[in-house]
């Protein structure tokens, strides 16, 4: 349901909870300098500009607890707000809500004209939704009891890998809070006899694929490389990178492990407020 992602907790509450702070406090990693030069106090001109911008956009309540914050926390809040395109957020929200609203029932042209024989002559009827039917057999495949196709697909895959045209994307931005850990989920101790983590397991699989592709193509050792893109979040980026470094990238080439950080988006209440 569309409203399931539109209706969120407020920005102030979500930021404070994500950083384990009281609801009235708001800390962020500054991306824009809004201090007045002493490193702590906010810039009055920037504060005035942001207040005006957010008031005009109908989001002025984000400053509700501003006066209760320390100068350093105030600067952090302004840094966060300065990097949000508030008008764009509002516009996307309105478009999403509009798209989720059931269309108003309207009478057809034939009904309004009082005729019933226009279809197929002067106008084309609107298409009705297609009946939902299973995919045709030729659009589906399986390796069960299908050794010939399995071998063919394996050959195609190993060839692509051997040509260094294959990459792996890992979405590793989440923390293991529901598992009782604040560390990235890929580092979580699964209590396996091997003691290996999920990061370790995936790295070993990537390394195995590289070696299999080398053998299948007759290429030399180390000539096949699979790029591994690891997406992190703000809270997991530093710890994830340190973990990979401490594990010597699990035997993979450091140059083929690329970390990048997922973006952030403002959270909205159902009444269109941060």
């Amino acid at each position: 349901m569309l409203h399931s992602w539109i209706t969120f907790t407020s920005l102030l509450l979500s930021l404070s909870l994500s950083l384990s702070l009281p609801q009235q406090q708001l800390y962020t990693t500054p991306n824009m300098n809004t201090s007045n030069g002493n490193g702590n106090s906010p810039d009055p001109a920037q504060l005035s500009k942001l207040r005006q911008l957010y008031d005009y956009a109908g989001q002025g309540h984000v400053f509700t607890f501003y006066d209760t914050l320390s100068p350093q926390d105030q600067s952090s809040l302004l840094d966060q707000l300065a990097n949000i395109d508030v008008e764009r957020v509002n516009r996307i929200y309105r478009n999403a809500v509009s798209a989720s609203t059931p269309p108003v029932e309207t009478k057809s042209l034939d009904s309004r004209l009082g005729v019933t024989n226009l279809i197929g002559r002067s106008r084309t009827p609107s298409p009705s939704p297609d009946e939902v039917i299973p995919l045709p057999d030729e659009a589906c495949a399986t390796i069960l009891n299908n050794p010939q196709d399995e071998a063919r697909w394996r050959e195609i895959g190993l060839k692509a890998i051997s040509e260094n045209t294959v990459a792996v994307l890992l979405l590793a931005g989440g923390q293991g809070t529901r598992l009782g850990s604040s560390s990235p989920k890929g580092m979580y101790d699964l209590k396996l006899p091997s003691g290996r983590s999920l990061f370790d397991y995936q790295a070993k699989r990537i390394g195995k694929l590289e070696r299999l592709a080398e053998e299948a193509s007759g290429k030399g050792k180390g000539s096949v490389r699979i790029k591994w893109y690891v997406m992190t979040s703000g809270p997991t980026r530093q710890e994830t990178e340190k973990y990979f470094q401490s594990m010597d990238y699990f035997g993979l080439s450091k140059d083929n492990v690329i970390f990048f950080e997922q973006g952030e988006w403002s959270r909205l209440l159902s009444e269109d407020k941060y």
Side-chain angles (χ1 to χ4, degrees), residues 64-93:
T64 299
F65 301 109
Y66 181 83
D67 292 334
T68 69
L69 302 177
S70 68
Q72 183 177 358
D73 295 339
Q74 289 175 344
S75 292
S76 295
L77 174 59
L78 295 185
D79 286 332
Q80 177 75 31
L81 298 179
N83 285 283
I84 296 176
D85 187 341
V86 60
E87 288 297 341
R88 181 168 180 254
V89 173
N90 284 346
R91 184 169 63 253
I92 291 175
Y93 177 87

Side-chain angles (χ1 to χ4, degrees), residues 175-193:
Q175 296 171 282
T177 50
R178 285 177 292 181
L179 303 173
S181 171
S182 60
S183 296
K185 290 179 182 177
M187 294 172 52
Y188 186 71
D189 184 0
L190 300 174
K191 307 299 182 183
L192 297 176

Side-chain angles (χ1 to χ4, degrees), residues 12-48:
L12 294 176
L13 178 58
S14 65
L15 288 174
S16 61
L17 288 177
S18 65
L19 296 173
S20 301
L21 296 173
Q23 183 175 345
Q24 291 82 2
Q25 291 183 312
L26 183 63
Y27 286 79
T28 60
T29 301
N31 293 318
M32 181 182 297
N33 183 11
T34 57
S35 68
N36 61 6
N38 60 18
N40 292 317
S41 300
D43 180 0
Q46 181 75 347
L47 171 61
S48 176

Side-chain angles (χ1 to χ4, degrees), residues 2-20:
L2 187 57
H3 281 290
S4 67
W5 64 265
I6 294 177
T7 305
F8 297 99
T9 56
S10 68
L11 176 64
L12 294 176
L13 178 58
S14 65
L15 288 174
S16 61
L17 288 177
S18 65
L19 296 173
S20 301

